[in-house]
Amino acid sequence: MHLTDPIADMLTRIRNANTVYHEMVDMPLSKMKVEVARILKDEGYIRNYKTITDAKKPVPVLRLFMNYGPNRERVIQGIRRISKPGRRVFVGTEELPKVMGGLGIALVSTSHGMMTDAQARKQGLGGEVVCFVW
């Protein structure tokens, strides 16, 4: 199966797993997905992630372990794809978005790798706005 937008597929899998309180969610592996997972873990939106390469399975898998509050509150309230294959969204340092007035994060793909909007602002970098998480 070939996907047009693998990052949108990843975000949809996370959104669906979060909605029904799944403990983990699997998806096909890619370098960009691992970077998104790393940032989500660093920011506390997911508990952990790991890559699984099994000789029995033809495709390597990225497994995310979802994070919920003590009374099963959702840590991820919303997740939205911004830059899409049909419409790429690039911003300079001055136009970096603030998600929910600074309560959420924007993932930005820069020339120095994938980072949050706050990190990109601090380093004076712009780039492609991949998604918003709040």
Side-chain angles (χ1 to χ4, degrees), residues 38-89:
R38 178 187 58 80
I39 292 173
L40 291 177
K41 180 181 185 279
D42 291 346
E43 296 293 321
Y45 288 105
I46 61 173
R47 271 189 296 130
N48 206 350
Y49 67 94
K50 72 176 182 179
T51 59
I52 301 169
T53 51
D54 190 0
K56 296 175 187 170
K57 293 186 179 182
V59 179
V61 173
L62 174 65
R63 179 169 288 166
L64 302 181
F65 298 94
M66 303 300 289
N67 193 12
Y68 301 102
N71 296 324
R72 290 185 58 88
E73 303 97 7
R74 292 181 178 96
V75 174
I76 298 175
Q77 296 297 316
I79 190 164
R80 196 171 104 213
R81 180 81 157 124
I82 301 302
S83 187
K84 302 172 183 173
R87 182 173 179 265
R88 298 289 184 188
V89 178

